[in-house]
Amino acid sequence: MNFGFNSNVRVGNAVYHVQTEDRGPAHPFLDTVVYMAGRVVHKRSTSYQDLIGGAAQGEALANQLHERLSQQHREIMGQLEAGTLQLNESGKSPAKVVAAGSNDELEVRLLNPKSWLEAGNATLEVELRNKVSETAIGGADVEAFLESGKNRSAPIRTRADAKGHAILSFPLPTSVAEGTALVIRATDGEHYAELRFRMKAKQDEKTPAPTSK
């Protein structure tokens, strides 16, 4: 089913990125990760096996799952704003999380921005680097998907090699809605980064234009 939400929450001078997603029926858990300056400061995972075994099927099941995912996402954001969410597994305040700093930041680079699309197939050659030291970050999880409003495609996932390189290949739809984003994300368990490109509606104009990192 693969639903997901992404929100930025400002608490004082700190900005947190909250990501909640469904990992799919093969791994029936709703995972929420809170990032601050690219660093993971909170994780929560809840099972929805009870829904899989229930009476609801098809669209009814999808609606139940979507509502539960939305509720978990809202709860995390509410606790974050109220200052009651335990961060870094030790209850550190947002100010201390800021002080922990972002000297060790993950950066996602697309190595083939001009040639990633050929004959309707996307091949994303990705490199992961430390922003400060420029050293390669190997072993990180990398995923790519299309996102349009609240809808997104099932993610394609892989893992970067020891040199921080990863390749994600998948067929691209013959048409996409105007404003659809191609999103590339990476995390090594402690740090998070993403690239987001705006897609054009016409197939022959799908040269990505970066919108944010």
Side-chain angles (χ1 to χ4, degrees), residues 2 144-146 152-156:
N2 296 106
F145 55 87
L146 299 180
R152 67 175 178 174
S153 64
I156 305 300

Side-chain angles (χ1 to χ4, degrees), residues 1-3 21-29 48 52 65 157:
M1 294 178 186
N2 296 106
F3 300 106
E21 62 181 353
D22 161 34
R23 292 297 185 181
H27 183 72
F29 286 86
Y48 62 86
I52 298 295
L65 180 56
R157 294 188 173 101

Side-chain angles (χ1 to χ4, degrees), residues 19-156:
Q19 175 183 322
T20 304
E21 62 181 353
D22 161 34
R23 292 297 185 181
H27 183 72
F29 286 86
L30 306 180
D31 295 335
T32 300
V33 183
V34 180
Y35 301 91
M36 195 283 165
R39 184 180 298 276
V40 175
V41 295
H42 181 85
K43 293 181 180 180
R44 181 176 300 179
S45 183
T46 59
S47 172
Y48 62 86
Q49 187 64 51
D50 59 311
L51 294 182
I52 298 295
Q57 297 294 327
E59 185 176 353
L61 175 60
N63 289 337
Q64 288 184 9
L65 180 56
H66 189 272
E67 177 55 34
R68 186 173 293 188
L69 188 77
S70 176
Q71 180 179 352
Q72 179 167 310
H73 191 71
R74 293 195 304 268
E75 286 178 354
I76 292 289
M77 289 195 300
Q79 293 172 16
L80 189 59
E81 291 172 333
T84 59
L85 187 68
Q86 189 176 44
L87 301 176
N88 279 350
E89 301 179 352
S90 61
K92 292 184 178 180
S93 68
K96 289 186 180 179
V97 174
V98 175
S102 55
N103 291 328
D104 184 18
E105 293 186 6
L106 177 65
E107 182 178 21
V108 181
R109 300 175 182 176
L110 180 62
L111 299 180
N112 60 331
K114 300 296 184 182
S115 60
W116 67 278
L117 179 63
E118 183 175 354
N121 292 309
T123 302
L124 306 173
E125 299 177 11
V126 176
E127 181 181 62
L128 308 180
R129 292 276 174 181
N130 181 294
K131 279 186 178 180
V132 177
S133 67
E134 286 291 321
T135 56
I137 298 179
D141 293 320
V142 187
E143 66 178 7
F145 55 87
L146 299 180
E147 185 175 76
S148 178
K150 295 183 178 180
N151 299 316
R152 67 175 178 174
S153 64
I156 305 300

